[in-house]
Amino acid sequence: MSALTTELPGIRLHGLGVKTTGLSRYGALLSSADSMAWSYCARGERPLPRRSPTRGSTPPE
């Protein structure tokens, strides 16, 4: 990871499949990450019902 950021300064790295151990080791070098852990467990289960987005909500000021 360090070699990539040294050779390609300014590159934004995404940690696909990175778990907490990996984040503790090289998380500072990543712009974003996801573990995909939830999807592995959910593969054998029924899909969740779709929810519609809330309409008309505004962020608090």
Side-chain angles (χ1 to χ4, degrees):
M1 297 292 285
S2 296
L4 281 173
T5 57
T6 301
E7 291 293 320
L8 303 167
I11 191 168
R12 297 179 62 194
L13 300 173
H14 175 77
L16 180 64
V18 175
K19 306 293 190 261
T20 54
T21 304
L23 287 175
S24 67
R25 291 182 183 168
Y26 48 82
L29 301 173
L30 300 175
S31 294
S32 58
D34 60 75
S35 72
M36 294 180 44
W38 68 269
S39 63
Y40 180 78
C41 294
R43 288 180 187 174
E45 297 177 9
R46 295 182 69 177
L48 296 173
R50 291 187 176 261
R51 293 190 285 172
S52 61
T54 305
R55 295 178 185 225
S57 62
T58 57
E61 295 182 14

